[in-house]
Amino acid sequence: MSRYTVEVKSATKTDPEATIGYDRPLRTFFLQAFPDPETDEYALWLGAFLEEHPSLESITEAARAKGYEVCGLTREMILAMIREAGPPSPPSFGERLGIVL
């Protein structure tokens, strides 16, 4: 699983320590921003489900649709995440058993 620190902005707030990356077991890109200091839950959490966001573009567009902008993605980050997402991964044990849908 790759993890990179980026900045996520909305019209009213900014999270300079947001996390974006690729989760190979779930085969999805993910984005986490604006953690609640008391519960550690995120106000923005995309890519928590199997194949939810198969491309980097789909996750940034999903964030934009919710009013957030992802800033600070470098060329190196983008290429590393795309490389990681490139090779197909086989279904997990849970998927093969029908536990994970």
Side-chain angles (χ1 to χ4, degrees), residues 4 7-8 12 20 22 51 54-55 82 86 91 93-94 96:
Y4 299 94
E7 183 175 79
V8 173
T12 59
I20 194 168
Y22 185 75
E51 298 177 345
S55 71
I82 290 172
F93 183 66
R96 292 192 305 268

Side-chain angles (χ1 to χ4, degrees), residues 62-83:
R64 191 170 290 130
K66 292 183 175 285
Y68 298 98
E69 195 64 41
V70 179
C71 305
L73 280 171
T74 66
R75 181 178 190 275
E76 290 76 21
M77 289 177 189
I78 293 168
L79 291 174
M81 285 187 281
I82 290 172
R83 266 193 302 273

Side-chain angles (χ1 to χ4, degrees), residues 27-83:
R27 296 185 300 274
T28 187
F29 285 88
F30 67 90
L31 178 64
Q32 298 170 322
F34 306 103
D36 183 299
E38 293 179 19
T39 65
D40 285 333
E41 291 188 29
Y42 291 89
L44 177 65
W45 189 344
L46 302 172
F49 302 103
L50 185 65
E51 298 177 345
E52 184 178 2
H53 294 286
S55 71
L56 191 53
E57 181 180 14
S58 72
I59 194 123
T60 56
E61 287 298 320
R64 191 170 290 130
K66 292 183 175 285
Y68 298 98
E69 195 64 41
V70 179
C71 305
L73 280 171
T74 66
R75 181 178 190 275
E76 290 76 21
M77 289 177 189
I78 293 168
L79 291 174
M81 285 187 281
I82 290 172
R83 266 193 302 273

Side-chain angles (χ1 to χ4, degrees), residues 82-98:
I82 290 172
R83 266 193 302 273
E84 186 175 3
S89 59
S92 69
F93 183 66
E95 288 175 88
R96 292 192 305 268
L97 292 176

